[in-house]
Amino acid sequence: MSDEQQAAGSPERGPQPADQPRAKDDRARADRGKADRGKADRARDDRAQDNRARDERAKARDNRPRAEEGRAAGDRDSGGSDAAEKEKEEQSEQDREEREKEEREKEEREKEERERERERVTGRFKEHTRDPLAEEQGDDGPTDLAAASRARHSTRMLFDTGRDLNSFDRSFIQSAHIGDIHLRLDSRPSGAGMRSGPVPEDELRGLRRVHVEPQGYVRLRSALVARRLLVLGAAPGTGRTSTALSLLDEVTSGAGAEPGAGPRVSRVDPDGGVRGLAGLLSGDGAEDRRGTGYLLELALTRPGSLPPDAMDLDGLAAALDGCGAFAVIVVTLGSAANPLLTGRYGMICPPAPTQELLTTRLREKLEERREELADRTAAPDDTPAAAPDSGPRLDDLLTAAEELAQRAEVRDAVGLKDLRPAEAELQASLLAGHLLGDLSYDELLSGCRSLAAGQAQEWFAGVDRALAALPAAAADGGARRSGTAALFHPVAFRIALAVLGGTPHSTVAAAAHLLTWELSVQSDPDNTPARPLFCDDPESDLALSRAELTDGRVEVAGAEVGARLIWYRGSALPAAVLAEIWDRHFPVRAPLVRWLRLLSDDPRPHVWMRAAVAAGELSVRDFDHSYAELIRPLAEAATPRRRIFAATTMDQAAGHASHRKAVRKLVDDWSRFGTKSLRWTAAMALGYGNAAATTDDALDALARIGVRDDGDQLAAASFNVVRLLALPDVATVLRRMADWTHHRREAYQDLGLVTTVRMALTGVDEVPAAEPGSPLGDRGDWPLPLALAATRPELVGPMADLLWTALNTPRSKDVAMDALEALMRSAVRKDGTEWARPGLAALLPALAAEEHDRRRLDWLLRRMMNDPENPLPDAQARSLWWLAVPSPDRTGEEERHG
């Protein structure tokens, strides 16, 4: 049967077989009846036709006269009827065109509405895939969060989160006996109790025996001999007083002073100052002072104190020359001492070399300890004592002590690059005590940890004691407090360096000025702090804070630039400084909290992230106070950056086993019962991986946050699910994402789809758990799914399934297609070098397994090639196609032409 026959209906019945007579007769009778009926019908039709013809002829005869009469009038009106007919036709045409136009406009409106709906859906997904800081800084969010993640990595290395807070900690213990070694931990400010008086010869002899000459010592001695007066500048504790006494001892030993005439070297009361010493040398008895030496330590950091001027120094030098004496004035580096140190008498005293200092102190302590042991094991009075050289040889003990000091554990416990004389002496005592059996290894490490804590306590103890005494004196004279900013600036700089170490010097200096203001206002609220504008001295800041400058790089708006970075010369100092401030100086907490809040608003990631990590370390010292004053207010703040600051602070506290349980309970309560801001902060804390007991618990909490209130916080939840993909339990995260995409509730589906798209758009350096040195950390600028595909082949299938679902779901396909394009463009860099191509080689074949998927990939590649702004070169497009389509699946044309 033909197509026409099928379309028209059933064909006529064909002839029947001859062996059916009954059927043939019946058919004959039916045919005869049918013929009779046809004849009757034709007759009836003929009669009706004849009747109609007669009626028409009669009507024509009746109408002929009237037709002739009206023919003339009809001819006259024919022109008007034609015009009306034409107008009617034109109107009909216009109506038809208007109807067609309305239909086209309706179709256009429907099309535009569908396009707007598609754009709304796409825009909603794009909105959900934006980073948390996007509402503050637009599309720069990913760059800033990546920089913040890198800043967090570098800052966490400065704090030992695994340290036991109950270990040997100066914050709670002031002194202790370890074996036969007495460790004095209370701080004695430099120069305290210094009064006039001679230096005993025994002290000078002991100094000659143990003193280690700093670099440039000969130059210092030559200057003292030539000018009779030397202004020696150095930081407290660097051995400046020992160097001054050693210089005076050397120059006076050959100056011709008569034995028994008086002390060769004397200390001078600093209250008299330079003029007092000059008057003493010019008065009676000047001849008795010939060839003597004088040590004067000036305190220039007191409020209202002024340094001596050049005329005072010249007068003192003339008086010294008149009686053939010598004098060394010791001053602390700083803006007040700069005029003295840049004058003709000023010189900088470098610190003694650490290794020589430690070796000298070790030899001294080992000799003393061996003599003590020999006396302790001596026989009765009638038996000679054991020989002093019995037991291990001194050189062997010295070698063993130096090897012990170089152990990584011991060096980490000390946490200082350079040792000062007092610190070298203490470490030498500890090493000697351990080698001679008086100290256990744990006691040795505990004692070594006290070195940095001792330095911190010395820096901050009694800084404003003199300032606090001024109001009583001002009651009568009406004097006002002055110089608070200058007094607090060194203190503020040390705190700022503890928080912001590893940033440019200018960053630390600016933060120090902010903290100086807060400290000054807290100390003297009635007066506006005033600080000189041109008295900062970067060299003094380095010396007074045991800091150093190194060449490095800093991120500015996503681009790295060269910078001079500042660090403490010792990994233990940042934690020691924060512990000292928070534990021993409670009034400082209020200005410090205000300062940290100011830093949380700083737009630079390397500032606010470092401040957040430091705030977490402070919280461990007193979580109740930190929660009430810092964490909770910032967690409920209106700005995302402050809430991320609070989340980072809690994560840092959770890094300590002592606070992990409390933080997890707090975050879980926020995720269930908290306000919108608290749930958002809880999501950010969960993304670090420490705020929940297991990965499943973290995912449960994030799902609760993401689907609540019609997905109001879907963006924050999905962002932090992706951050968990860098954890070792990444397979659990991918499996949960797949469960969400197949959930019966649309809110969970959206959570899975948005998380999948965000995963494709996230870089490795934006994930906090990807520590440097790990397989992911070595691919910091790779897209996260490609880095996972290259390092964890077993994850390719689950990731490909998730991406396939997003690409085939209408509400997410456009955003997913853009994400896939971004992944494919990461195959090579702009300069043509290979980038994430190995990850694409693993992932693309799983995404293009079916013909439909390959057609979509082909369409995407053609779109990328025709992109007017960033066209993909043909060679790269072919290369990507070959990555996706294995060789056995290619057609002959593809093999020939690509």
Side-chain angles (χ1 to χ4, degrees):
M1 185 184 301
S2 65
D3 293 341
E4 291 79 2
Q5 291 172 328
Q6 292 180 4
S10 299
E12 294 183 357
R13 188 182 299 272
Q16 295 294 327
D19 57 353
Q20 297 180 358
R22 181 176 298 177
K24 182 176 182 182
D25 294 340
D26 294 341
R27 187 168 59 252
R29 287 194 297 271
D31 291 342
R32 287 195 296 271
K34 183 177 180 181
D36 295 340
R37 288 193 298 272
K39 290 179 180 178
D41 291 339
R42 285 194 295 272
R44 202 165 41 249
D45 292 340
D46 291 340
R47 289 194 298 270
Q49 187 175 1
D50 293 340
N51 292 333
R52 284 196 299 271
R54 285 196 300 271
D55 293 341
E56 288 176 358
R57 285 194 296 272
K59 186 177 182 180
R61 287 194 301 270
D62 295 338
N63 291 336
R64 185 178 298 114
R66 288 192 296 271
E68 292 176 353
E69 292 175 359
R71 184 173 297 124
D75 292 339
R76 292 192 299 268
D77 296 339
S78 61
S81 61
D82 292 341
E85 186 68 23
K86 184 177 181 181
E87 182 178 357
K88 185 177 180 180
E89 292 177 357
E90 291 177 354
Q91 184 65 33
S92 299
E93 183 67 21
Q94 291 178 1
D95 293 342
R96 184 179 62 79
E97 291 178 355
E98 289 179 359
R99 287 194 299 272
E100 292 177 354
K101 182 179 180 181
E102 290 176 357
E103 291 177 357
R104 288 195 301 269
E105 291 177 352
K106 183 179 179 180
E107 292 176 358
E108 289 293 332
R109 286 195 299 271
E110 292 176 353
K111 182 178 179 181
E112 291 176 359
E113 183 62 28
R114 289 193 300 269
E115 183 66 22
R116 282 195 296 269
E117 179 63 23
R118 187 187 67 82
E119 290 178 354
R120 279 196 297 269
V121 173
T122 303
R124 187 173 70 251
F125 268 79
K126 286 185 177 180
E127 185 69 23
H128 290 325
T129 56
R130 297 178 72 189
D131 288 296
L133 291 180
E135 62 186 77
E136 288 188 349
Q137 55 196 29
D139 295 334
D140 295 335
T143 299
D144 280 2
L145 284 175
S149 181
R150 288 187 286 271
R152 177 176 174 270
H153 291 323
S154 61
T155 308
R156 285 170 64 89
M157 294 188 297
L158 299 178
F159 302 105
D160 184 9
T161 58
R163 177 178 296 180
D164 182 6
L165 295 180
N166 296 319
S167 65
F168 196 105
D169 193 329
R170 290 189 54 133
S171 299
F172 306 103
I173 305 174
Q174 289 189 349
S175 62
H177 281 283
I178 300 179
D180 291 334
I181 301 175
H182 180 73
L183 302 180
R184 184 68 184 180
L185 304 182
D186 60 328
S187 176
R188 290 186 173 87
S190 178
M194 181 70 67
R195 291 294 181 265
S196 296
V199 179
E201 288 293 331
D202 291 342
E203 182 177 341
L204 293 176
R205 282 196 298 271
L207 179 64
R208 285 193 294 270
R209 185 164 57 91
V210 300
H211 181 257
V212 177
E213 297 179 356
Q215 186 178 6
Y217 180 81
V218 175
R219 186 167 58 89
L220 297 176
R221 184 178 58 196
S222 300
L224 179 60
V225 171
R227 301 187 181 98
R228 299 279 179 175
L229 175 63
L230 178 64
V231 179
L232 196 62
T238 55
R240 58 184 186 175
T241 302
S242 298
T243 300
L245 288 175
S246 178
L247 289 170
L248 292 173
D249 179 47
E250 287 193 30
V251 297
T252 57
S253 62
E258 296 182 3
R264 285 193 302 115
V265 180
S266 299
R267 293 185 174 92
V268 180
D269 188 349
D271 292 339
V274 172
R275 293 183 180 181
L277 179 57
L280 177 66
L281 295 175
S282 301
D284 297 336
E287 289 297 328
D288 297 337
R289 298 183 178 87
R290 181 170 296 278
T292 58
Y294 298 92
L295 173 62
L296 173 61
E297 295 190 44
L298 292 180
L300 302 179
T301 58
R302 296 177 181 176
S305 62
L306 296 175
D309 55 24
M311 293 183 63
D312 293 332
L313 295 178
D314 290 338
L316 177 58
L320 290 168
D321 187 61
C323 63
F326 304 90
V328 177
I329 300 176
V330 176
V331 296
T332 300
L333 293 174
S335 58
N338 282 344
L340 300 177
L341 298 177
T342 55
R344 68 173 63 93
Y345 304 103
M347 298 188 74
I348 300 296
C349 179
T354 297
Q355 190 57 45
E356 294 182 19
L357 194 63
L358 182 60
T359 301
T360 303
R361 295 294 189 269
L362 273 173
R363 183 177 293 276
E364 177 191 6
K365 295 300 178 181
L366 288 172
E367 289 177 352
E368 292 177 358
R369 298 291 294 150
R370 290 180 77 244
E371 291 176 0
E372 291 177 5
L373 289 175
D375 294 340
R376 190 183 308 168
T377 58
D381 294 340
D382 56 349
T383 305
D389 58 350
S390 60
R393 295 176 61 250
L394 180 61
D395 292 341
D396 295 339
L397 286 175
L398 185 60
T399 302
E402 291 177 349
E403 292 176 354
L404 180 61
Q406 294 302 317
R407 284 189 188 178
E409 239 180 344
V410 175
R411 293 174 62 185
D412 291 341
V414 173
L416 299 171
K417 288 187 177 181
D418 301 320
L419 293 179
R420 294 181 173 181
E423 296 163 352
E425 185 172 355
L426 177 57
Q427 187 182 8
S429 299
L430 294 169
L431 294 171
H434 176 66
L435 289 176
L436 297 175
D438 292 339
L439 296 180
S440 67
Y441 189 67
D442 290 338
E443 290 174 328
L444 167 66
L445 296 180
S446 296
C448 290
R449 292 191 188 104
S450 70
L451 297 178
Q455 174 64 92
Q457 188 172 349
E458 179 183 330
W459 276 340
F460 299 105
V463 170
D464 56 349
R465 186 176 293 116
L467 187 65
L470 284 179
D476 298 331
R480 299 176 57 192
R481 290 185 177 183
S482 61
T484 55
L487 178 67
F488 287 129
H489 177 71
V491 174
F493 191 88
R494 291 163 186 153
I495 299 174
L497 183 56
V499 174
L500 302 176
T503 60
H505 179 270
S506 60
T507 301
V508 176
H513 280 290
L514 287 177
L515 183 56
T516 299
W517 175 276
E518 296 293 342
L519 295 174
S520 301
V521 170
Q522 183 78 13
S523 177
D524 187 10
D526 296 331
N527 296 312
T528 302
R531 176 162 175 77
L533 299 179
F534 299 98
C535 291
D536 279 359
D537 183 6
E539 296 298 329
S540 298
D541 290 338
L542 296 177
L544 295 176
S545 301
R546 301 184 73 163
E548 63 180 345
L549 289 174
T550 60
D551 292 328
R553 303 188 70 79
V554 65
E555 290 193 43
V556 178
E560 286 192 347
V561 295
R564 295 283 285 168
L565 308 181
I566 185 170
W567 305 83
Y568 268 119
R569 290 187 60 80
S571 59
L573 286 173
V577 167
L578 295 182
E580 173 70 17
I581 287 295
W582 204 249
D583 293 339
R584 297 177 62 89
H585 304 281
F586 185 82
V588 180
R589 290 190 181 187
L592 190 59
V593 167
R594 293 195 299 268
W595 177 67
L596 288 173
R597 289 183 181 180
L598 290 174
L599 295 185
S600 71
D601 294 326
D602 195 293
R604 294 167 294 181
H606 59 269
V607 174
W608 65 263
M609 179 55 75
R610 281 178 165 84
V613 174
E617 286 297 308
L618 293 176
S619 299
V620 176
R621 317 296 301 188
D622 188 351
F623 192 80
D624 175 66
H625 185 272
S626 298
Y627 176 77
E629 299 294 331
L630 193 62
I631 295 177
R632 182 61 183 256
L634 293 181
E636 293 183 317
T639 58
R641 186 179 291 110
R642 283 195 164 197
R643 298 197 294 267
I644 297 177
F645 188 101
T648 306
T649 299
M650 288 194 297
D651 172 73
Q652 186 68 17
H656 295 261
S658 58
H659 289 69
R660 192 169 298 140
K661 184 177 180 180
V663 172
R664 289 174 177 174
K665 177 64 168 59
L666 180 65
V667 171
D668 185 70
D669 289 345
W670 285 0
S671 70
R672 295 177 184 273
F673 318 114
T675 63
K676 179 180 177 181
S677 297
L678 291 180
R679 294 198 308 271
W680 197 97
T681 306
M684 293 303 302
L686 289 165
Y688 285 113
N690 291 323
T694 64
T695 304
D696 282 325
D697 291 341
L699 293 170
D700 289 339
L702 288 170
R704 282 197 302 269
I705 296 171
V707 303
R708 183 172 173 176
D709 298 335
D710 297 327
D712 184 55
Q713 294 186 345
L714 179 58
S718 63
F719 175 80
N720 288 285
V721 172
V722 171
R723 298 171 81 197
L724 296 177
L725 287 171
L727 296 176
D729 201 11
V730 58
T732 300
V733 182
L734 293 175
R735 183 173 62 252
R736 184 66 68 86
M737 291 169 59
D739 294 342
W740 290 336
T741 58
H742 296 91
H743 201 278
R744 65 177 182 275
R745 288 183 54 188
E746 185 175 343
Y748 282 95
Q749 297 173 14
D750 287 346
L751 177 60
L753 293 171
V754 171
T755 305
T756 300
V757 174
R758 185 185 289 278
M759 174 185 68
L761 297 173
T762 300
V764 172
D765 52 4
E766 298 175 56
V767 182
E771 299 287 346
S774 67
L776 288 183
D778 295 338
R779 296 172 171 82
D781 60 344
W782 280 37
L784 180 59
L786 300 186
L788 290 173
T791 58
R792 302 279 299 273
E794 71 276 10
L795 303 178
V796 170
M799 287 192 298
D801 291 342
L802 288 169
L803 289 171
W804 187 92
T805 302
L807 288 168
N808 287 275
T809 302
R811 61 181 180 272
S812 63
K813 65 178 182 179
D814 291 338
V815 182
M817 190 68 73
D818 294 339
L820 180 59
E821 178 180 346
L823 289 178
M824 297 178 69
R825 288 190 181 275
S826 67
V828 295
R829 304 183 191 276
K830 291 183 179 181
D831 58 1
T833 59
E834 187 175 280
W835 187 3
R837 182 183 174 88
L840 282 170
L843 185 61
L844 280 183
L847 278 176
E850 302 294 336
E851 183 62 29
H852 170 72
D853 303 326
R854 293 176 185 175
R855 287 198 299 269
R856 178 173 54 213
L857 179 63
D858 177 73
W859 176 86
L860 178 59
L861 288 172
R862 294 179 186 278
R863 188 183 80 172
M864 295 168 63
M865 294 169 64
N866 296 324
D867 189 341
E869 297 181 357
N870 186 21
L872 183 71
D874 293 353
Q876 292 186 23
R878 287 193 298 269
S879 177
L880 290 172
W881 177 258
W882 291 338
L883 285 180
V885 181
S887 180
D889 297 335
R890 298 176 194 161
T891 64
E893 184 177 356
E894 289 173 343
E895 290 291 346
R896 291 190 301 272
H897 304 292

